[in-house]
Amino acid sequence: MNTTLPIPWNATVARRVDVNESLRILWIRPDSGSIQPFEPGQFVQLGWPKPEHPAGPPPTRVRWNKRSYSIASSPEETGAYELCLAHVHGGVLTPQLFEQPEGARVWCDDAPKGHFTLARIPEGRHLVCVATGTGIAPFTSMLRRYRGTGRFRKLTILWGARGSADLAYDAEFRAAASSNAEVRYAAIASREPASSTWSGARGRVQALLDGATFVSIAGEPLEPFDTHVLLCGNPAMIDDVRALLEPRGFVLDGAKASGNLHFERYW
Ligand SMILES: Cc1cc2nc3c(=O)[nH]c(=O)nc-3n(C[C@H](O)[C@H](O)[C@H](O)COP(=O)(O)OP(=O)(O)OC[C@H]3O[C@@H](n4cnc5c(N)ncnc54)[C@H](O)[C@@H]3O)c2cc1C
Ligand SMILES: NC(=O)c1ccc[n+]([C@@H]2O[C@H](COP(=O)([O-])OP(=O)(O)OC[C@H]3O[C@@H](n4cnc5c(N)ncnc54)[C@H](OP(=O)(O)O)[C@@H]3O)[C@@H](O)[C@H]2O)c1
């Protein structure tokens, strides 16, 4: 860690689940014992001290490397923020965070942030949520918080990951879809070995937006009327899906004009 100053940690890794060697779910408990209120779709930053410059003047305060993580838990789970982290090889923060056991100390934002929420989407709409990798986290929170509340007419979750082993919330989504008619779910794997037992779709998540495929998942065609599409994760996916949907009448939501296409780029 290479710092001579006392480190003002303010949170603890309360629980850690190793989904596989590249994917972890961490529950981060603030020292106050309770999370701050948030809207599903928001994120918190985690931080780790920046190394001190060996030749520089003695530091007067700890400086942090901070990165953002979408909250997967429902705001009703007040004891900790549930976060889903991919290990970026050679990354600044994730190799550090992946080493931390349960009970380790970390730095966490005092208050969640972000605008990738349902605040600008009227009630009773069809929400089509398209995620790659850990971009599933905001939709996990939305499902957990709003299922059965009437907040949406239908929630269709389409999730693309490299392999089936990366689909950490697959069982939960399948269970939600089988017990709630308004929840629809499909996953697709892009690098699943041909020899594996995965019987689901193979390819990239755009394939699930194709006409008949989408109808078979959502039970209705993908049309702009009363539907909002939310995209989260890999920025290349966001660019590609925007290019698919904008010619089909979906309009980007923005500060100046409301629309029915929303996104959160992870990098
Ligand atoms: C609003 C927001 C929410 C985010 N939520 C999450 C989240 O819930 N889970 C999560 O794992 N990451 C999330 N990220 C990404 C996260 O903030 C970091 O960028 C990521 O953990 C890498 O940090 P690093 O310091 O290890 O890598 P860096 O040294 O910062 O390297 C960044 C590079 O890593 C790659 N990268 C970054 N994030 C990912 C990712 N999730 N999957 C694959 N490759 C990636 C990109 O090539 C990027 O250029 C979010 C980003 C934003 C802006
Ligand atoms: N998940 C793993 O098995 C694994 C293993 C080792 C290391 N890692 C590391 O973990 C980090 C996170 O990887 P990740 O797999 O979670 O995230 P990712 O690289 O963003 O990939 C997630 C999914 O997004 C897809 N995707 C990429 N570009 C797309 C586009 N333009 N349109 C639609 N879909 C697109 C990928 O398909 P493609 O497969 O076709 O790109 C994959 O299915 C990376 O740094 C990686 O090196 C992951």
Side-chain angles (χ1 to χ4, degrees):
M1 195 175 311
N2 181 26
T3 172
T4 51
L5 294 165
I7 300 171
W9 306 115
N10 64 1
T12 299
V13 178
R15 186 178 164 211
R16 167 179 139 176
V17 168
D18 297 0
V19 178
N20 59 46
E21 60 178 20
S22 302
L23 195 62
R24 295 243 157 102
I25 303 178
L26 301 180
W27 282 260
I28 304 295
R29 184 174 56 232
D31 288 351
S32 65
S34 183
I35 65 162
Q36 291 296 311
F38 70 92
E39 285 299 315
Q42 290 193 299
F43 63 87
V44 285
Q45 289 185 301
L46 295 182
W48 196 256
K50 286 186 183 179
E52 287 167 9
H53 202 291
T60 54
R61 64 183 176 86
V62 172
R63 295 168 68 236
W64 301 95
N65 282 314
K66 297 178 183 176
R67 296 290 185 271
S68 305
Y69 297 97
S70 302
I71 305 167
S73 39
S74 166
E76 290 159 328
E77 296 161 40
T78 57
Y81 300 109
E82 178 182 332
L83 310 175
C84 180
L85 272 68
H87 184 199
V88 173
H89 296 285
V92 170
L93 197 66
T94 51
Q96 307 274 7
L97 293 176
F98 261 60
E99 282 181 16
Q100 304 312 310
E102 290 179 354
R105 304 284 285 146
V106 290
W107 178 90
C108 178
D109 261 340
D110 287 335
K113 304 179 174 73
H115 303 287
F116 188 63
T117 68
L118 303 189
R120 289 166 59 86
I121 302 179
E123 287 199 356
R125 300 298 196 268
H126 181 190
L127 307 182
V128 176
C129 302
V130 182
T132 53
T134 55
I136 200 62
F139 306 135
T140 308
S141 183
M142 289 173 191
L143 171 72
R144 290 171 170 179
R145 171 63 186 87
Y146 295 124
R147 180 172 56 172
T149 65
R151 182 63 184 82
F152 44 76
R153 174 174 70 75
K154 191 180 278 184
L155 180 73
T156 298
I157 297 175
L158 306 177
W159 190 8
R162 292 187 186 197
S164 58
D166 299 319
L167 298 170
Y169 297 104
D170 188 63
E172 178 176 340
F173 294 153
R174 285 184 192 285
S178 64
S179 57
N180 299 264
E182 85 273 17
V183 177
R184 306 298 176 102
Y185 168 65
I188 186 162
S190 55
R191 304 191 196 183
E192 184 71 10
S195 57
S196 89
T197 56
W198 168 250
S199 58
R202 290 167 190 262
R204 284 183 161 182
V205 71
Q206 294 88 322
L208 304 179
L209 293 166
D210 274 357
T213 305
F214 185 83
V215 172
S216 73
I217 299 163
E220 60 187 270
L222 181 59
E223 285 168 0
F225 170 73
D226 115 327
T227 294
H228 283 249
V229 176
L230 297 94
L231 311 174
C232 188
N234 189 312
M237 177 279 283
I238 290 167
D239 292 345
D240 290 353
V241 175
R242 277 185 61 187
L244 257 173
L245 296 187
E246 286 177 356
R248 289 165 63 174
F250 284 89
V251 175
L252 207 57
D253 188 53
K256 290 190 182 148
S258 56
N260 50 9
L261 190 52
H262 315 255
F263 67 83
E264 181 94 286
R265 300 164 81 96
Y266 272 5
W267 65 92

